[in-house]
PDB file of all heavy atoms in Angstrom:
ATOM      1  N   ASN L   1     -69.152 248.676 167.315  1.00 96.00           N
ATOM      2  CA  ASN L   1     -68.719 247.594 166.430  1.00 96.00           C
ATOM      3  C   ASN L   1     -69.644 247.420 165.226  1.00 96.00           C
ATOM      4  O   ASN L   1     -69.739 246.341 164.647  1.00 96.00           O
ATOM      5  CB  ASN L   1     -68.626 246.273 167.199  1.00 96.00           C
ATOM      6  CG  ASN L   1     -69.939 245.865 167.859  1.00 96.00           C
ATOM      7  OD1 ASN L   1     -70.777 246.724 168.164  1.00 96.00           O
ATOM      8  ND2 ASN L   1     -70.123 244.591 168.087  1.00 96.00           N
ATOM      9  N   PHE L   2     -70.338 248.503 164.829  1.00 95.00           N
ATOM     10  CA  PHE L   2     -71.240 248.408 163.679  1.00 95.00           C
ATOM     11  C   PHE L   2     -70.501 248.009 162.407  1.00 95.00           C
ATOM     12  O   PHE L   2     -71.077 247.389 161.508  1.00 95.00           O
ATOM     13  CB  PHE L   2     -71.972 249.735 163.469  1.00 95.00           C
ATOM     14  CG  PHE L   2     -72.910 249.736 162.299  1.00 95.00           C
ATOM     15  CD1 PHE L   2     -73.995 248.873 162.259  1.00 95.00           C
ATOM     16  CD2 PHE L   2     -72.710 250.593 161.223  1.00 95.00           C
ATOM     17  CE1 PHE L   2     -74.867 248.865 161.173  1.00 95.00           C
ATOM     18  CE2 PHE L   2     -73.568 250.588 160.135  1.00 95.00           C
ATOM     19  CZ  PHE L   2     -74.648 249.721 160.116  1.00 95.00           C
ATOM     20  N   ALA L   3     -69.199 248.338 162.323  1.00 94.00           N
ATOM     21  CA  ALA L   3     -68.416 247.979 161.133  1.00 94.00           C
ATOM     22  C   ALA L   3     -68.422 246.478 160.878  1.00 94.00           C
ATOM     23  O   ALA L   3     -68.264 246.040 159.728  1.00 94.00           O
ATOM     24  CB  ALA L   3     -66.983 248.486 161.279  1.00 94.00           C
ATOM     25  N   GLU L   4     -68.629 245.671 161.926  1.00 94.00           N
ATOM     26  CA  GLU L   4     -68.641 244.214 161.771  1.00 94.00           C
ATOM     27  C   GLU L   4     -69.773 243.743 160.861  1.00 94.00           C
ATOM     28  O   GLU L   4     -69.642 242.728 160.170  1.00 94.00           O
ATOM     29  CB  GLU L   4     -68.798 243.538 163.138  1.00 94.00           C
ATOM     30  CG  GLU L   4     -67.654 243.764 164.094  1.00 94.00           C
ATOM     31  CD  GLU L   4     -67.930 243.175 165.467  1.00 94.00           C
ATOM     32  OE1 GLU L   4     -69.039 242.614 165.669  1.00 94.00           O
ATOM     33  OE2 GLU L   4     -67.049 243.280 166.344  1.00 94.00           O
ATOM     34  N   ILE L   5     -70.886 244.481 160.867  1.00 94.00           N
ATOM     35  CA  ILE L   5     -72.051 244.023 160.098  1.00 94.00           C
ATOM     36  C   ILE L   5     -72.456 244.982 158.993  1.00 94.00           C
ATOM     37  O   ILE L   5     -73.416 244.718 158.267  1.00 94.00           O
ATOM     38  CB  ILE L   5     -73.262 243.784 161.031  1.00 94.00           C
ATOM     39  CG1 ILE L   5     -73.691 245.106 161.694  1.00 94.00           C
ATOM     40  CG2 ILE L   5     -72.955 242.723 162.069  1.00 94.00           C
ATOM     41  CD1 ILE L   5     -75.004 244.996 162.441  1.00 94.00           C
ATOM     42  N   ARG L   6     -71.721 246.100 158.848  1.00 92.00           N
ATOM     43  CA  ARG L   6     -72.130 247.133 157.896  1.00 92.00           C
ATOM     44  C   ARG L   6     -72.312 246.579 156.484  1.00 92.00           C
ATOM     45  O   ARG L   6     -73.271 246.885 155.793  1.00 92.00           O
ATOM     46  CB  ARG L   6     -71.130 248.285 157.897  1.00 92.00           C
ATOM     47  CG  ARG L   6     -71.538 249.437 156.977  1.00 92.00           C
ATOM     48  CD  ARG L   6     -70.507 250.536 156.957  1.00 92.00           C
ATOM     49  NE  ARG L   6     -70.479 251.258 158.220  1.00 92.00           N
ATOM     50  CZ  ARG L   6     -69.449 251.263 159.060  1.00 92.00           C
ATOM     51  NH1 ARG L   6     -68.358 250.586 158.767  1.00 92.00           N
ATOM     52  NH2 ARG L   6     -69.508 251.941 160.179  1.00 92.00           N
ATOM     53  N   GLU L   7     -71.371 245.775 156.022  1.00 90.00           N
ATOM     54  CA  GLU L   7     -71.450 245.275 154.647  1.00 90.00           C
ATOM     55  C   GLU L   7     -72.643 244.344 154.443  1.00 90.00           C
ATOM     56  O   GLU L   7     -73.130 244.187 153.326  1.00 90.00           O
ATOM     57  CB  GLU L   7     -70.171 244.553 154.259  1.00 90.00           C
ATOM     58  CG  GLU L   7     -69.877 243.295 155.071  1.00 90.00           C
ATOM     59  CD  GLU L   7     -68.601 242.627 154.608  1.00 90.00           C
ATOM     60  OE1 GLU L   7     -68.539 242.215 153.433  1.00 90.00           O
ATOM     61  OE2 GLU L   7     -67.649 242.547 155.417  1.00 90.00           O
ATOM     62  N   PHE L   8     -73.143 243.722 155.510  1.00 90.00           N
ATOM     63  CA  PHE L   8     -74.271 242.804 155.390  1.00 90.00           C
ATOM     64  C   PHE L   8     -75.616 243.536 155.379  1.00 90.00           C
ATOM     65  O   PHE L   8     -76.608 242.995 154.896  1.00 90.00           O
ATOM     66  CB  PHE L   8     -74.256 241.790 156.534  1.00 90.00           C
ATOM     67  CG  PHE L   8     -72.984 241.001 156.632  1.00 90.00           C
ATOM     68  CD1 PHE L   8     -72.110 241.195 157.685  1.00 90.00           C
ATOM     69  CD2 PHE L   8     -72.649 240.082 155.645  1.00 90.00           C
ATOM     70  CE1 PHE L   8     -70.930 240.479 157.776  1.00 90.00           C
ATOM     71  CE2 PHE L   8     -71.466 239.358 155.723  1.00 90.00           C
ATOM     72  CZ  PHE L   8     -70.604 239.560 156.785  1.00 90.00           C
ATOM     73  N   VAL L   9     -75.646 244.740 155.930  1.00 90.00           N
ATOM     74  CA  VAL L   9     -76.921 245.457 156.044  1.00 90.00           C
ATOM     75  C   VAL L   9     -76.913 246.771 155.269  1.00 90.00           C
ATOM     76  O   VAL L   9     -77.865 247.539 155.345  1.00 90.00           O
ATOM     77  CB  VAL L   9     -77.267 245.743 157.528  1.00 90.00           C
ATOM     78  CG1 VAL L   9     -77.311 244.458 158.318  1.00 90.00           C
ATOM     79  CG2 VAL L   9     -76.253 246.712 158.147  1.00 90.00           C
ATOM     80  N   SER L  10     -75.821 247.053 154.526  1.00 82.00           N
ATOM     81  CA  SER L  10     -75.683 248.357 153.868  1.00 82.00           C
ATOM     82  C   SER L  10     -76.738 248.558 152.802  1.00 82.00           C
ATOM     83  O   SER L  10     -77.272 247.616 152.232  1.00 82.00           O
ATOM     84  CB  SER L  10     -74.293 248.490 153.239  1.00 82.00           C
ATOM     85  OG  SER L  10     -74.097 247.479 152.277  1.00 82.00           O
ATOM     86  N   GLY L  11     -77.029 249.829 152.529  1.00 59.00           N
ATOM     87  CA  GLY L  11     -78.037 250.173 151.546  1.00 59.00           C
ATOM     88  C   GLY L  11     -79.275 250.711 152.220  1.00 59.00           C
ATOM     89  O   GLY L  11     -79.607 250.308 153.340  1.00 59.00           O
ATOM     90  N   PRO L  12     -79.970 251.646 151.581  1.00 53.00           N
ATOM     91  CA  PRO L  12     -81.186 252.212 152.167  1.00 53.00           C
ATOM     92  C   PRO L  12     -82.249 251.156 152.415  1.00 53.00           C
ATOM     93  O   PRO L  12     -82.429 250.241 151.617  1.00 53.00           O
ATOM     94  CB  PRO L  12     -81.648 253.229 151.111  1.00 53.00           C
ATOM     95  CG  PRO L  12     -80.439 253.493 150.284  1.00 53.00           C
ATOM     96  CD  PRO L  12     -79.647 252.225 150.288  1.00 53.00           C
ATOM     97  N   SER L  13     -82.919 251.272 153.553  1.00 52.00           N
ATOM     98  CA  SER L  13     -84.009 250.353 153.881  1.00 52.00           C
ATOM     99  C   SER L  13     -85.322 251.028 153.543  1.00 52.00           C
ATOM    100  O   SER L  13     -85.814 251.850 154.300  1.00 52.00           O
ATOM    101  CB  SER L  13     -83.968 249.996 155.366  1.00 52.00           C
ATOM    102  OG  SER L  13     -82.754 249.379 155.686  1.00 52.00           O
ATOM    103  N   VAL L  14     -85.867 250.710 152.387  1.00 49.00           N
ATOM    104  CA  VAL L  14     -87.067 251.390 151.929  1.00 49.00           C
ATOM    105  C   VAL L  14     -88.170 250.377 151.647  1.00 49.00           C
ATOM    106  O   VAL L  14     -88.071 249.594 150.706  1.00 49.00           O
ATOM    107  CB  VAL L  14     -86.787 252.196 150.641  1.00 49.00           C
ATOM    108  CG1 VAL L  14     -87.974 253.080 150.312  1.00 49.00           C
ATOM    109  CG2 VAL L  14     -85.529 253.020 150.788  1.00 49.00           C
ATOM    110  N   PRO L  15     -89.223 250.342 152.466  1.00 49.00           N
ATOM    111  CA  PRO L  15     -90.345 249.459 152.180  1.00 49.00           C
ATOM    112  C   PRO L  15     -90.992 249.831 150.852  1.00 49.00           C
ATOM    113  O   PRO L  15     -90.884 250.972 150.402  1.00 49.00           O
ATOM    114  CB  PRO L  15     -91.310 249.717 153.352  1.00 49.00           C
ATOM    115  CG  PRO L  15     -90.459 250.315 154.419  1.00 49.00           C
ATOM    116  CD  PRO L  15     -89.405 251.090 153.706  1.00 49.00           C
ATOM    117  N   PRO L  16     -91.676 248.877 150.190  1.00 45.00           N
ATOM    118  CA  PRO L  16     -92.322 249.174 148.912  1.00 45.00           C
ATOM    119  C   PRO L  16     -93.273 250.359 149.007  1.00 45.00           C
ATOM    120  O   PRO L  16     -94.025 250.498 149.967  1.00 45.00           O
ATOM    121  CB  PRO L  16     -93.090 247.875 148.610  1.00 45.00           C
ATOM    122  CG  PRO L  16     -92.364 246.822 149.374  1.00 45.00           C
ATOM    123  CD  PRO L  16     -91.856 247.489 150.612  1.00 45.00           C
ATOM    124  N   GLY L  17     -93.210 251.254 148.016  1.00 45.00           N
ATOM    125  CA  GLY L  17     -94.123 252.383 147.963  1.00 45.00           C
ATOM    126  C   GLY L  17     -93.720 253.547 148.836  1.00 45.00           C
ATOM    127  O   GLY L  17     -94.472 254.499 149.003  1.00 45.00           O
ATOM    128  N   ARG L  18     -92.510 253.506 149.416  1.00 48.00           N
ATOM    129  CA  ARG L  18     -92.087 254.584 150.297  1.00 48.00           C
ATOM    130  C   ARG L  18     -90.752 255.144 149.823  1.00 48.00           C
ATOM    131  O   ARG L  18     -89.900 254.417 149.353  1.00 48.00           O
ATOM    132  CB  ARG L  18     -91.930 254.073 151.729  1.00 48.00           C
ATOM    133  CG  ARG L  18     -91.495 255.156 152.704  1.00 48.00           C
ATOM    134  CD  ARG L  18     -91.299 254.563 154.092  1.00 48.00           C
ATOM    135  NE  ARG L  18     -90.733 255.564 154.978  1.00 48.00           N
ATOM    136  CZ  ARG L  18     -89.442 255.868 155.020  1.00 48.00           C
ATOM    137  NH1 ARG L  18     -88.593 255.244 154.229  1.00 48.00           N
ATOM    138  NH2 ARG L  18     -88.999 256.789 155.856  1.00 48.00           N
ATOM    139  N   THR L  19     -90.570 256.457 149.952  1.00 45.00           N
ATOM    140  CA  THR L  19     -89.317 257.094 149.582  1.00 45.00           C
ATOM    141  C   THR L  19     -88.591 257.572 150.837  1.00 45.00           C
ATOM    142  O   THR L  19     -89.215 257.860 151.859  1.00 45.00           O
ATOM    143  CB  THR L  19     -89.553 258.316 148.661  1.00 45.00           C
ATOM    144  OG1 THR L  19     -90.417 259.231 149.338  1.00 45.00           O
ATOM    145  CG2 THR L  19     -90.186 257.876 147.353  1.00 45.00           C
ATOM    146  N   LEU L  20     -87.266 257.629 150.739  1.00 45.00           N
ATOM    147  CA  LEU L  20     -86.475 258.069 151.875  1.00 45.00           C
ATOM    148  C   LEU L  20     -86.566 259.580 152.077  1.00 45.00           C
ATOM    149  O   LEU L  20     -86.612 260.327 151.110  1.00 45.00           O
ATOM    150  CB  LEU L  20     -85.009 257.685 151.662  1.00 45.00           C
ATOM    151  CG  LEU L  20     -84.658 256.208 151.832  1.00 45.00           C
ATOM    152  CD1 LEU L  20     -83.215 255.981 151.409  1.00 45.00           C
ATOM    153  CD2 LEU L  20     -84.852 255.755 153.248  1.00 45.00           C
ATOM    154  N   SER L  21     -86.572 259.999 153.335  1.00 49.00           N
ATOM    155  CA  SER L  21     -86.511 261.423 153.641  1.00 49.00           C
ATOM    156  C   SER L  21     -85.074 261.909 153.478  1.00 49.00           C
ATOM    157  O   SER L  21     -84.137 261.114 153.402  1.00 49.00           O
ATOM    158  CB  SER L  21     -86.978 261.681 155.075  1.00 49.00           C
ATOM    159  OG  SER L  21     -86.048 261.124 155.983  1.00 49.00           O
ATOM    160  N   ILE L  22     -84.887 263.229 153.452  1.00 44.00           N
ATOM    161  CA  ILE L  22     -83.548 263.791 153.332  1.00 44.00           C
ATOM    162  C   ILE L  22     -82.673 263.341 154.500  1.00 44.00           C
ATOM    163  O   ILE L  22     -81.512 262.972 154.328  1.00 44.00           O
ATOM    164  CB  ILE L  22     -83.615 265.334 153.292  1.00 44.00           C
ATOM    165  CG1 ILE L  22     -84.356 265.792 152.021  1.00 44.00           C
ATOM    166  CG2 ILE L  22     -82.216 265.927 153.335  1.00 44.00           C
ATOM    167  CD1 ILE L  22     -83.683 265.384 150.726  1.00 44.00           C
ATOM    168  N   GLU L  23     -83.240 263.339 155.708  1.00 49.00           N
ATOM    169  CA  GLU L  23     -82.468 262.933 156.878  1.00 49.00           C
ATOM    170  C   GLU L  23     -82.016 261.481 156.758  1.00 49.00           C
ATOM    171  O   GLU L  23     -80.886 261.141 157.102  1.00 49.00           O
ATOM    172  CB  GLU L  23     -83.307 263.108 158.154  1.00 49.00           C
ATOM    173  CG  GLU L  23     -83.580 264.555 158.544  1.00 49.00           C
ATOM    174  CD  GLU L  23     -84.679 265.186 157.684  1.00 49.00           C
ATOM    175  OE1 GLU L  23     -85.403 264.433 157.001  1.00 49.00           O
ATOM    176  OE2 GLU L  23     -84.790 266.412 157.696  1.00 49.00           O
ATOM    177  N   GLU L  24     -82.903 260.608 156.273  1.00 46.00           N
ATOM    178  CA  GLU L  24     -82.555 259.194 156.137  1.00 46.00           C
ATOM    179  C   GLU L  24     -81.514 258.976 155.045  1.00 46.00           C
ATOM    180  O   GLU L  24     -80.610 258.145 155.180  1.00 46.00           O
ATOM    181  CB  GLU L  24     -83.812 258.376 155.845  1.00 46.00           C
ATOM    182  CG  GLU L  24     -84.743 258.289 157.032  1.00 46.00           C
ATOM    183  CD  GLU L  24     -86.142 257.844 156.656  1.00 46.00           C
ATOM    184  OE1 GLU L  24     -86.506 257.941 155.475  1.00 46.00           O
ATOM    185  OE2 GLU L  24     -86.854 257.415 157.549  1.00 46.00           O
ATOM    186  N   LEU L  25     -81.637 259.731 153.941  1.00 43.00           N
ATOM    187  CA  LEU L  25     -80.640 259.628 152.879  1.00 43.00           C
ATOM    188  C   LEU L  25     -79.264 260.027 153.400  1.00 43.00           C
ATOM    189  O   LEU L  25     -78.256 259.382 153.102  1.00 43.00           O
ATOM    190  CB  LEU L  25     -81.036 260.528 151.698  1.00 43.00           C
ATOM    191  CG  LEU L  25     -82.131 259.980 150.775  1.00 43.00           C
ATOM    192  CD1 LEU L  25     -82.577 261.066 149.809  1.00 43.00           C
ATOM    193  CD2 LEU L  25     -81.641 258.763 150.014  1.00 43.00           C
ATOM    194  N   ARG L  26     -79.228 261.096 154.194  1.00 45.00           N
ATOM    195  CA  ARG L  26     -77.950 261.531 154.745  1.00 45.00           C
ATOM    196  C   ARG L  26     -77.392 260.485 155.692  1.00 45.00           C
ATOM    197  O   ARG L  26     -76.180 260.244 155.743  1.00 45.00           O
ATOM    198  CB  ARG L  26     -78.131 262.863 155.471  1.00 45.00           C
ATOM    199  CG  ARG L  26     -78.356 264.036 154.522  1.00 45.00           C
ATOM    200  CD  ARG L  26     -78.715 265.294 155.276  1.00 45.00           C
ATOM    201  NE  ARG L  26     -78.900 266.414 154.369  1.00 45.00           N
ATOM    202  CZ  ARG L  26     -79.480 267.567 154.708  1.00 45.00           C
ATOM    203  NH1 ARG L  26     -79.918 267.736 155.942  1.00 45.00           N
ATOM    204  NH2 ARG L  26     -79.605 268.534 153.829  1.00 45.00           N
ATOM    205  N   LEU L  27     -78.277 259.846 156.460  1.00 46.00           N
ATOM    206  CA  LEU L  27     -77.842 258.807 157.382  1.00 46.00           C
ATOM    207  C   LEU L  27     -77.216 257.656 156.613  1.00 46.00           C
ATOM    208  O   LEU L  27     -76.154 257.145 156.964  1.00 46.00           O
ATOM    209  CB  LEU L  27     -79.035 258.313 158.205  1.00 46.00           C
ATOM    210  CG  LEU L  27     -78.738 257.316 159.327  1.00 46.00           C
ATOM    211  CD1 LEU L  27     -77.861 257.960 160.380  1.00 46.00           C
ATOM    212  CD2 LEU L  27     -80.028 256.820 159.933  1.00 46.00           C
ATOM    213  N   ASP L  28     -77.851 257.232 155.506  1.00 47.00           N
ATOM    214  CA  ASP L  28     -77.315 256.145 154.693  1.00 47.00           C
ATOM    215  C   ASP L  28     -76.013 256.553 154.026  1.00 47.00           C
ATOM    216  O   ASP L  28     -75.082 255.759 153.905  1.00 47.00           O
ATOM    217  CB  ASP L  28     -78.336 255.720 153.630  1.00 47.00           C
ATOM    218  CG  ASP L  28     -79.477 254.922 154.225  1.00 47.00           C
ATOM    219  OD1 ASP L  28     -79.193 254.041 155.037  1.00 47.00           O
ATOM    220  OD2 ASP L  28     -80.628 255.203 153.884  1.00 47.00           O
ATOM    221  N   GLU L  29     -75.935 257.815 153.561  1.00 48.00           N
ATOM    222  CA  GLU L  29     -74.707 258.284 152.929  1.00 48.00           C
ATOM    223  C   GLU L  29     -73.548 258.238 153.920  1.00 48.00           C
ATOM    224  O   GLU L  29     -72.433 257.842 153.576  1.00 48.00           O
ATOM    225  CB  GLU L  29     -74.903 259.715 152.413  1.00 48.00           C
ATOM    226  CG  GLU L  29     -75.781 259.801 151.170  1.00 48.00           C
ATOM    227  CD  GLU L  29     -76.092 261.238 150.805  1.00 48.00           C
ATOM    228  OE1 GLU L  29     -75.628 262.143 151.534  1.00 48.00           O
ATOM    229  OE2 GLU L  29     -76.797 261.453 149.809  1.00 48.00           O
ATOM    230  N   ARG L  30     -73.806 258.634 155.162  1.00 51.00           N
ATOM    231  CA  ARG L  30     -72.749 258.598 156.175  1.00 51.00           C
ATOM    232  C   ARG L  30     -72.288 257.168 156.431  1.00 51.00           C
ATOM    233  O   ARG L  30     -71.088 256.905 156.571  1.00 51.00           O
ATOM    234  CB  ARG L  30     -73.243 259.237 157.475  1.00 51.00           C
ATOM    235  CG  ARG L  30     -73.426 260.741 157.409  1.00 51.00           C
ATOM    236  CD  ARG L  30     -73.521 261.324 158.814  1.00 51.00           C
ATOM    237  NE  ARG L  30     -74.651 260.808 159.552  1.00 51.00           N
ATOM    238  CZ  ARG L  30     -75.860 261.361 159.530  1.00 51.00           C
ATOM    239  NH1 ARG L  30     -76.086 262.428 158.792  1.00 51.00           N
ATOM    240  NH2 ARG L  30     -76.840 260.850 160.235  1.00 51.00           N
ATOM    241  N   ALA L  31     -73.246 256.249 156.499  1.00 50.00           N
ATOM    242  CA  ALA L  31     -72.891 254.855 156.745  1.00 50.00           C
ATOM    243  C   ALA L  31     -72.053 254.286 155.607  1.00 50.00           C
ATOM    244  O   ALA L  31     -71.054 253.594 155.826  1.00 50.00           O
ATOM    245  CB  ALA L  31     -74.165 254.018 156.935  1.00 50.00           C
ATOM    246  N   ILE L  32     -72.467 254.577 154.364  1.00 49.00           N
ATOM    247  CA  ILE L  32     -71.732 254.064 153.210  1.00 49.00           C
ATOM    248  C   ILE L  32     -70.349 254.698 153.132  1.00 49.00           C
ATOM    249  O   ILE L  32     -69.348 254.025 152.849  1.00 49.00           O
ATOM    250  CB  ILE L  32     -72.539 254.323 151.913  1.00 49.00           C
ATOM    251  CG1 ILE L  32     -73.834 253.497 151.940  1.00 49.00           C
ATOM    252  CG2 ILE L  32     -71.716 253.979 150.680  1.00 49.00           C
ATOM    253  CD1 ILE L  32     -74.797 253.854 150.835  1.00 49.00           C
TER     254      ILE L  32
END
């Protein structure tokens, strides 16, 4: 039931000063 909250939490979660890895970018792309 992740679709219930997807729009509220969508977008890459990147703490300040950190960049996303390729695997994480792909994970976010799949979610979006």
Side-chain angles (χ1 to χ4, degrees):
N1 58 334
F2 179 62
E4 296 175 358
I5 63 171
R6 183 182 290 115
E7 64 179 299
F8 303 111
V9 303
S10 60
S13 300
V14 190
R18 180 183 173 279
T19 57
L20 286 173
S21 67
I22 295 298
E23 291 77 15
E24 290 163 341
L25 282 170
R26 288 172 179 166
L27 186 64
D28 286 315
E29 287 173 359
R30 289 196 299 271
I32 294 170

